[in-house]
Amino acid sequence: MTEKKDFQLSCPIPISEYPHVLLAHGGGGRLMHQLLEKIIVPAFSNEALEARHDGAVLNLQNTRLAFTTDSYVVKPLFFPGGDIGTLAVYGTVNDLAMCGARPLYLSVGFILEEGLPMETFWKVVQSIRKAAETAGVQIVTGDTKVVDHGKGDGIFVNTAGIGIIERNINISPAGVKVGDAVILSGDIGRHGMAIMAAREGLAFESTIESDCAPLSEPVMNLLAAGIEIRCLRDLTRGGLASALVEIAETSKCHIEIEETAIPVQENVQGACEILGLDPLYVANEGRMVVFVRAADAEKALALLRAHPCGAQATIIGHVHQAPASMVTMKSRIGASRIVDMISGEQLPRIC
Amino acid sequence: MTEKKDFQLSCPIPISEYPHVLLAHGGGGRLMHQLLEKIIVPAFSNEALEARHDGAVLNLQNTRLAFTTDSYVVKPLFFPGGDIGTLAVYGTVNDLAMCGARPLYLSVGFILEEGLPMETFWKVVQSIRKAAETAGVQIVTGDTKVVDHGKGDGIFVNTAGIGIIERNINISPAGVKVGDAVILSGDIGRHGMAIMAAREGLAFESTIESDCAPLSEPVMNLLAAGIEIRCLRDLTRGGLASALVEIAETSKCHIEIEETAIPVQENVQGACEILGLDPLYVANEGRMVVFVRAADAEKALALLRAHPCGAQATIIGHVHQAPASMVTMKSRIGASRIVDMISGEQLPRIC
């Protein structure tokens, strides 16, 4: 344990700046990072946490484990392509997969609001069961709490997960190196737009379905083929842009991507244009970026495309030395612009 | 995996019976058991879950792990003797300890309500840090979500925990045997009454402080001394009574306890009498029952008493064959009565 005697004696986010928690503090953007960097990481300082990974990598006796958690507060509970139960399983499975771990065991914690229809609870439990079967994980422990009507919002679900890292690998944002290729596993923005359409009652020409899916199989396939994965990151809150900015900042590299290479489904593009949203920042729940050595890129791409979750995988960019800690994007017309993180998120409570 | 083809096609709790989730469904009593037995356990059927333990015991390569989770929704967030952060750490540490595991790693998931004072969040994080240090565990991964104002209640915290089972032990309710002694590690009812006093603004002659504390050290001490622990259970929702009834039902034994042997602090007894509550059902957060062979009982008692958390440890009863699956209590005046589980809990949201 590190020395804790001189620990901060007052809240490091001054009242004059942010007296209260805002929705944006949970949004995956700058404000959430401030909360993490100023309050959470300093309090719990340890190696695993400081790796800024999707999950913690732990050595127990001779076993290497990944351990991760996420709470799910998505609104509405059911949406085209999934529901809070599906998300709660795949989200945590994906966080484990992003550590290169084979997901094995999940815990489930429910916070139910008094008055929730029993049928709704049952349906969510069935979704969790199906998603766990699909992803090949077991729900081995759990907890249920009920809060007064008006003090919750139907159902909140927390899942924590344990996976096993079977190979001598080291996948982390810090492992990204100059020259690496950046592969995106499929089209972006579908999950966020599916939620928005469901929540706002928007009808587009065709229904936008969430992309939520477990990414563990495609990752295991890459590892089994001996691809040296430098870094993996699934795209959730904050979308592709936030994922890349985080990786650029941790690795101190420059990531350059090409706008024309990024697949966006036509109805998602259309909906984004109508609503003035940038698909780069819209959440996914079944997409990832994979950083590999340039020499491995084509092989990795072929492996990803062989799996239904990666059918549209594509190389969207490369890693350079400078300008350090930055993401830039070459636009359709050839101009280059800086891709930054937004403060909050375009849409709260998408997962 | 077990066969799932014939899985239930409609909610097994009929609408005519419980159309909605009630507060009592989270209360640790009969209704929560119905929710578990009818909806949750059948959905996720597997060996670990069916053991009905405080945590799952998992074999990973050659390592035996315990894995557990709990969400914390206590109201108010701060109370004499602790707060939601302390509870969230000690509660999960205790669930691991009840499997005979040495608690090592915790995850923390926050669900914050928009508008929560930043200072309050910071204080809870500091409590978690201190409690983790006291219990000797590391917070290695986490998550923060924010829900709209009016859709949460300040802070909800989920913790999941991983512990290691270092010895070839098998601690579980099913391990209880006729002849075993039942040891209670200290006085009961303090946590629940501390919460009730804080919530209702009740002033008793002396402040009732929660007993919340980590139980891992006393458990490790028993194991290190070679005591064969048959079963461990910490007393939380539903109190001593519910813990014993659960164990009697799982082990199919008769547990007989003596009312006069159960320590209850005077101000707790007084407050219970004023409010018409039975301390047997009032929650604790730093107390456990320990089932050991009668021959080990005195040695175990001495070891427990040597630790501050077990200073008042006492033998409260024994295990008999019949009447099976039942708990009875000899009262002060010598009469014997059946100790049953209540439907919900006397007091919602105590943890």
Side-chain angles (χ1 to χ4, degrees), chain A residues 45-58:
Chain A
S45 167
N46 61 61
E47 220 179 294
L49 204 65
E50 276 156 23
R52 308 277 193 286
H53 213 323
D54 278 327
V57 175
L58 308 169

Side-chain angles (χ1 to χ4, degrees), chain A residues 78 83 118-128 130, chain B residues 11 39:
Chain A
F78 300 88
D83 60 43
M118 191 62 80
E119 184 85 14
T120 305
F121 176 56
W122 177 76
K123 278 186 189 159
V124 170
V125 169
Q126 300 316 303
S127 279
I128 291 176
K130 276 181 220 153
Chain B
C11 181
I39 294 190

Side-chain angles (χ1 to χ4, degrees), chain A residues 128-139:
Chain A
I128 291 176
R129 176 183 69 81
K130 276 181 220 153
E133 278 182 25
T134 303
V137 293
Q138 285 194 312
I139 311 287

